[in-house]
Amino acid sequence: DNIICNSAISACEKSGQWQQALALLDLMQRIGLVHDVVTCSSVISACRKGERWQEALFILRTMYDGNLLPDVIAYNATISACETGFQWQAALDLVKHMQLAAVTPDEITHSAVSSACEKAGRWEFAIAQLADMHAEAVAPD
């Protein structure tokens, strides 16, 4: 059932087995088990650890297709996957999308986006994230 699959996906995430996490999510869908935000967040985290930012973005998008509203944890995991993949523009786009979806970015969000910008040599965007944190009264990490 869902609890067993979520536990297995979480184990895959912890051990860096992103392929297995994706396969389990696919299996859940094929046999009609309903996945939730926790399931998807775990799969996204597994993709992040496997440096698979494209798959992480895909899972986030499929959450909307399945009428699941991603929370700050799902967004942060996806933004961190983008950071790992040096996708600073995608990370910035996700923050904008969060705000449109009424999901409040937190210090983890801003830290991951700042790091993605910094890794890409886009210091001006990293500084802008600090300004956004200050405007939103989020304490820097």
Side-chain angles (χ1 to χ4, degrees):
D1 68 345
N2 286 9
I3 295 171
I4 293 170
C5 285
N6 280 348
S7 295
I9 288 171
S10 180
C12 291
E13 182 259 327
K14 287 176 177 51
S15 62
Q17 299 295 318
W18 64 271
Q19 302 100 324
Q20 292 300 324
L22 285 170
L24 282 168
L25 179 63
D26 181 59
L27 176 66
M28 287 178 76
Q29 292 169 335
R30 284 188 287 125
I31 64 174
L33 287 178
V34 178
H35 56 281
D36 57 17
V37 175
V38 173
T39 308
C40 293
S41 294
S42 293
V43 174
I44 291 168
S45 290
C47 291
R48 176 188 57 80
K49 286 185 179 180
E51 298 182 359
R52 306 302 296 190
W53 64 272
Q54 293 160 318
E55 286 83 353
L57 277 173
F58 176 77
I59 297 301
L60 187 75
R61 288 184 188 121
T62 61
M63 289 176 75
Y64 281 103
D65 295 341
N67 294 321
L68 290 175
L69 298 177
D71 59 8
V72 70
I73 295 168
Y75 274 107
N76 285 347
T78 309
I79 290 168
S80 292
C82 291
E83 171 201 358
T84 305
F86 301 98
Q87 300 301 312
W88 64 275
Q89 290 175 314
L92 286 170
D93 288 343
L94 284 168
V95 172
K96 291 175 190 169
H97 197 271
M98 283 177 79
Q99 293 164 334
L100 291 172
V103 177
T104 305
D106 62 11
E107 65 275 0
I108 295 168
T109 311
H110 292 293
S111 178
V113 173
S114 293
S115 180
C117 293
E118 180 268 326
K119 286 178 180 178
R122 303 307 301 242
W123 57 268
E124 67 275 17
F125 291 102
I127 290 172
Q129 281 302 301
L130 287 174
D132 288 347
M133 288 175 68
H134 179 71
E136 296 169 12
V138 175
D141 187 18

